Amino acid sequence: MASGKSNTATTQVLNLFQEWDNGTKASRAKVLEDFIANNADQTGPELELEFAQGASLFFARITAWMRLSYINGSYLTLQLKSVNIFLNAASGHRFLLEFLEVGGVLTCLEILNLSSSRECDKTEAISILLKVVRAGRKYKELICESYGVKSICECVARSNSEDTQESAKQLLQELAQGNPKYEMQVYKGLIALLPSTSPKAQQVATQALRFMQPIVKTSHPSIVEPLLSLLRSLHLEVQFEAIELIKDLVNYDEIQASLLSSMVKLLIPEKNIGRKANVELFPESENDDSNAGPLPIYIQQAAVAKAIGSLCQTSIPVAEKFVQLGVVHNLLIAMGNVDYSDSQRQASITLEIIVRTFPLVNDVVLEAMGETLYHIFMSDPDSLYLNMDNVQNDVLVSNKVDIPKILTEQKA
């Protein structure tokens, strides 16, 4: 009786394979639709039972069709979902090995950046790659050796789907974990993403870099410039992630000096790059001066002032280094920037933190401002910019404060 049932199942599977081999694209698609509807969450043994111990033969037909037709994108979603069912099957590790043997990883990586690929197909391809990555370190290395990091990062930069970008971020993070041979390759790939024109890609890259810092336990000087450039973004979520990453990176000796000095310099924007920067960052409607918002360099100035304040509040040694770099002089100038009130506000809040931390700075600022302006400043730094007149603004912009010189003279 059991033998009869087995023979019947075998006959049905053989008929299915014959229908597949002789069928049209549409008939194959119908087969895959039925397979997806009836076999989600099946285990490896259950799939074998479903196909009379011929699951690998069916799987081979799906992967072969996908490799031959993925460039055109026809029925790619069904193909990828079917592959996912096999790779997701418990006790179905051999399906993964079969997928790798036929070049499945390279196919998925190519799908990520095909112009014909839909976003849902990219997400499915990433889901497949995640299953490969989670199978172990040697599979992570295989993807990296196949220029996977470059392909995934390019997908993040070009994608217009947040779901795809989030999935790709997860894949990059998984690639970096437990993969010492290629973790720095992933790290540098994420740094290369920072100048992307996609705000979501920038956010994803900074989040992934924050995730990776404890893994790589170091940093790279090339991160400083593109990271600080993110502070020009009009997107607050990008600014937030950039500032949080700055807080993490300030603890790394390799880049601390460069990071802090660059931040201090950005408090005094180079006005001659203002509109040029605006055109580069916003190549379409935003470069119309008739309806222009604040210059990106002023947005950056305010964000840098805010970041410095946060760093000074959490670390006195870092605050001391900022003071030694001449931050007080530059903060006073930023407080006098009548072209952008948020720069004035953030610089004022940050200077008040430093003034209350260091008596020397307090005395110097009092002398530079004069008693009247100083008392207004100390009583309400948050709204100081609303209570200053033009003369007081000029006093701030033309200040001659030079605390590094004072400190040098004291040591002598």
Side-chain angles (χ1 to χ4, degrees), residues 252-263:
Y252 291 85
D253 294 337
E254 302 93 333
I255 65 165
Q256 188 191 71
S258 173
L259 182 61
L260 298 186
S261 62
S262 296
M263 292 175 74

Side-chain angles (χ1 to χ4, degrees), residues 277-298:
N278 203 31
V279 171
E280 290 174 351
L281 288 176
F282 310 103
E284 297 176 1
S285 60
E286 288 87 348
N287 65 358
D288 180 4
D289 284 0
S290 63
N291 192 31
L295 287 172
I297 53 173
Y298 290 158

Side-chain angles (χ1 to χ4, degrees), residues 91-109:
S91 304
H93 184 69
R94 67 189 186 85
F95 296 131
L96 173 64
L97 297 180
E98 291 167 5
F99 184 69
L100 297 177
E101 286 174 2
V102 297
V105 165
L106 287 174
T107 301
C108 286
L109 290 174

Side-chain angles (χ1 to χ4, degrees), residues 366-377:
L366 171 59
E367 182 180 350
M369 287 186 173
E371 288 191 11
T372 301
L373 181 57
Y374 173 81
H375 288 304
I376 298 173
F377 161 63

Side-chain angles (χ1 to χ4, degrees), residues 71 110-118 122 158:
I71 293 178
E110 288 182 23
I111 288 170
L112 294 184
N113 291 296
L114 278 178
S115 58
S116 59
S117 295
R118 297 183 299 171
K122 294 177 185 178
R158 294 172 180 172

Side-chain angles (χ1 to χ4, degrees), residues 59 63 67 87 93-106 128-129 131-133 135 138-140 142-143 146:
F59 185 49
T63 54
R67 286 185 292 111
L87 298 189
H93 184 69
R94 67 189 186 85
F95 296 131
L96 173 64
L97 297 180
E98 291 167 5
F99 184 69
L100 297 177
E101 286 174 2
V102 297
V105 165
L106 287 174
I128 290 172
L129 291 171
K131 292 177 178 63
V132 175
V133 161
K138 66 180 180 180
Y139 302 108
K140 295 179 182 182
L142 171 64
I143 290 177
S146 304

Side-chain angles (χ1 to χ4, degrees), residues 215-235:
I215 297 173
V216 297
K217 297 183 177 65
T218 186
S219 191
H220 196 274
S222 64
I223 196 173
V224 174
E225 184 179 349
L227 175 59
L228 293 178
S229 293
L230 293 185
L231 298 179
R232 295 182 179 186
S233 176
L234 291 171
H235 298 266

